[in-house]
Every structure is written in C-alpha cells, then in structure tokens.
Amino acid sequence: MYQKPTNLRADVARLIDDGYEVSIEHNHLIMCNVPYVTSAREIKRGTLISPLTGSFSEVARPSDHVIMFSGDYPCDAHGKQLESIRNATRNENVAGQWAINHRFSSKPKRGYYLDYYEKMHTYASILANQAAALDPECTARTFRVIGSTDDSPFQYFDNASGRVGISEVTQKLTKRSIAIVGLGGTGSYVLDYASKTPVDEIHLFDGDIFEQHTAFRCPGAATIEEIMGRPPKVGFLADKYGKMHRGIVPHGEYITEENVAQLEGFDMVFLCIDANEAKVPIVQALESFDSKFIDVGIGVNLVRNGLTATLRTTTSTPENRQHVHDRKRIPMKAAPGNNEYARNIQIAELNAINAGFAIVQWKQECGFYRDTEHELFSLFRVADNHILNEDAA
C-alpha cells in the first residue's frame, strides 16, 4: 500500500477515490487489476493503458477513445469474445514495461470522452461487469492506491511524448548522466534543451558568477534582484531548471588538469568553453576515460559593418577520435586575430543554434534521431546559410 499522491489532477484523483488501482508511468495512465473473463470462462486480471494528455492543473479531454489492454482477449460471461469493442489485436510495448496485446474501441455517443475518469471507468466496467456475472465479489475497485511508480527525473509528468506516441523512442534517453562544462551562452542552452529530456543526472561545471551580461546570453529572464545578488552561475541555473528536472547537480568550479577526473563516468560530456587552450587537458583526460564528448564553438567577426559567424560542432567517441587530431576539428590554441564572440557579444540566437546542433548529435548517438550519415563534424556558416558535414564514422 502506498500513500495517495497529493498533487494529482481531478480526473485521476477521482479514479483513485473510487478505488481503482491507477498510476502514471512514462506519460501513460495505467489501470491495473481489471478483472475480465477468458474464453474458458476463467476470471483473470489485466491492465488498461492510455496515453495521458493535459497536465496536473489541466484536465484535458483524452486525445482519442481507444484503449490499450495487456491480457488475453476478454469475453462475456459465456466465454464469447466481446466483439463490440474490438479494434486491433497486436503485440507491442508501451510505457516502459507494458506488453500490449489488444486495442479496444468504445466511442461514447457524443463522440469523445469528457475526461480520463469517464474513459477508464467505462472500459473497466465493460470488462469487470462480465467477471462480476460469474463472481459478484469480483471488482476492479481494489482500493490499492499505488500512485505514480514512475522513476521519471521530471518534477511533473511529460505529457508531450505520450500525446504524440513517441514515449518508446524517448526511453532511449533514460538511464543516462551528462555533464556540461561551461554554462555561458551555448552551455546554458544545452542545459535548457537537456532539461526537457529524461536523463537521470545533469552535472554543471563552471566557476563563474551570474552577472548582467550573462542574462543576455542565457535562456529565460533573470530578475534585477537575482542579478544584483551575483549568484554562482551553476547554482542559479540548477535552481531554475531544478523546478522542472530532478538530478541537476551544480559544481561551482572550472575544470582544470587538477580536477578533470570529475568528468569520468558520464555517458556524454558537452564542452562549451571559449578558451581553446583550456580544452587540451580536458580532451586528453576524456579520451583516456573512453568518454564520449561533444565540443562546440562559435566564431564571430565584424566585416564591413556586419557580422560573419561560424558555428562548429564536433563529436568524439572511443571508436572515432582521429578526426579530432588529424583534421584539428577541436581548436586547442588561442584563436588568432579578432573574435567578437570572445568579448561577450550578445548573440543568444547563435548560442541556441549551436546548442541545438550539439543536442541533435547527442540524440542521434543515443538512437533517438535517425542518423543515416553518421558524421561527427558540422560547420554552419551564417552568411550563406551553409552547413558543412564531414568525418563520417
């Protein structure tokens, strides 16, 4: 027996109050221990599953009237299959662990269910009523409250993946830990995008202070009071994004040769630092750790009263390192000439694009996005909107 969750939306809370055994797992609403009758007129218990739309504060109408079922095909009290609700019989996996055997369809006269209470209660009643004809004591209302057994890293459930049917793909990003070295312009956007993924841990490494110019390079909007407080950059960002994602760990220090061992063991490390020469001991250490890492860089120059810019993204894995050194895909010496970016120029859109390229390459490496070319290096030139992709794995 688990304690009833206290922050559930009204329709889910009503199911629990009525005694149904429900939980929210991987963006789906799960109802367990629903009795049904088999073709042999035996009573078994199965599971009803529906993608969950809406949020904690919004009781949204279900996206459709179809329900998924884990169990044998249900029958009436005489052992005859319930053809009136047949939709499809197929085996698939959803919501992390649930093996689905059938999909049922029972559309209300109005054409849709008002909320998830009506939808789940209706299907549970269709199945359980037949079982009750054989055993009047048989019911789906077990009053065993299990709440959410989801080990999600989010503070609230991700209803975006479930509503569009990509929860199974999203699972490829789970059970991972990442590190972001440098939380300036690009690094802060990497955090913003990563915080929307179900990775277990996001570690932030930066010894800088969150100042006024930082606010113009980061996503979101800091208040004057927050800026005047001059908080540590990683602490400020960990607090902001911790409201959405658990497991964000701030490390208020720069990564150097002395402490680079802290980067060992992560599934992916994002290098988002401006000082090229500072990358030398980090790259060497990550290679010795057999770590995967993605390095980003931006070059901006003032030419004839306009800015030119290039955005670079380089991926390095234990299986593919040579392009980093043979083709010098990660600059590790101080950049020659003028680079306006090094002067904290405010180009948040370029930071966001560079971070987006890095996140896409990471998601490709995880199998979330398809990757037909397996290229480990990209260079985006803003002036002619050209993307160069090279160094195929």
Side-chain angles (χ1 to χ4, degrees), residues 204-221:
L204 314 179
F205 294 88
D206 197 312
D208 206 355
I209 298 297
F210 192 95
E211 299 182 280
Q212 185 171 335
H213 72 268
T214 313
F216 285 90
R217 306 179 76 194
C218 291

Side-chain angles (χ1 to χ4, degrees), residues 12-188:
V12 178
R14 186 181 173 192
L15 287 168
I16 294 176
D17 288 340
D18 275 11
Y20 289 110
E21 193 171 314
V22 297
S23 64
I24 297 172
E25 301 181 24
H26 301 295
N27 322 316
H28 287 70
L29 184 58
I30 315 292
M31 179 182 287
C32 298
N33 269 328
V34 178
Y36 67 97
V37 179
T38 70
S39 58
R41 301 187 71 230
E42 298 175 333
I43 296 177
K44 289 188 176 181
R45 290 184 177 264
T47 303
L48 294 170
I49 302 173
S50 174
L52 188 62
T53 56
S55 65
F56 284 128
S57 59
E58 174 196 8
V59 177
R61 202 165 79 190
S63 57
D64 60 35
H65 60 275
V66 177
I67 200 82
M68 293 175 281
F69 184 68
S70 179
D72 300 328
Y73 196 91
C75 301
D76 62 20
H78 304 288
K80 183 180 178 181
Q81 289 189 346
L82 295 172
E83 296 292 342
S84 61
I85 61 171
R86 183 184 294 277
N87 179 274
T89 295
R90 63 187 185 197
N91 295 319
E92 54 187 309
N93 291 307
V94 299
Q97 63 173 319
W98 297 100
I100 301 304
N101 307 111
H102 309 283
R103 287 175 178 262
F104 300 141
S105 173
S106 180
K107 183 185 291 188
K109 290 184 178 180
R110 76 172 76 89
Y112 57 86
Y113 288 106
L114 293 173
D115 57 21
Y116 281 91
Y117 177 86
E118 183 183 31
K119 180 178 183 179
M120 304 301 283
H121 169 76
T122 296
Y123 281 104
S125 298
I126 291 173
L127 303 188
N129 287 345
Q130 299 301 321
L134 299 179
D135 178 1
E137 299 298 319
C138 194
T139 177
R141 301 185 179 192
T142 65
F143 286 92
R144 178 177 179 266
V145 179
I146 62 175
S148 176
T149 60
D150 196 351
D151 57 354
S152 168
F154 294 115
Q155 299 285 8
Y156 38 87
F157 66 85
D158 169 20
N159 60 354
S161 298
R163 72 171 67 185
V164 295
I166 63 168
S167 293
E168 200 66 22
V169 177
T170 303
Q171 291 306 301
K172 295 181 179 182
L173 303 176
T174 61
K175 309 303 179 184
R176 297 175 185 269
S177 62
I178 66 174
I180 305 173
V181 181
L183 274 296
T186 302
S188 60

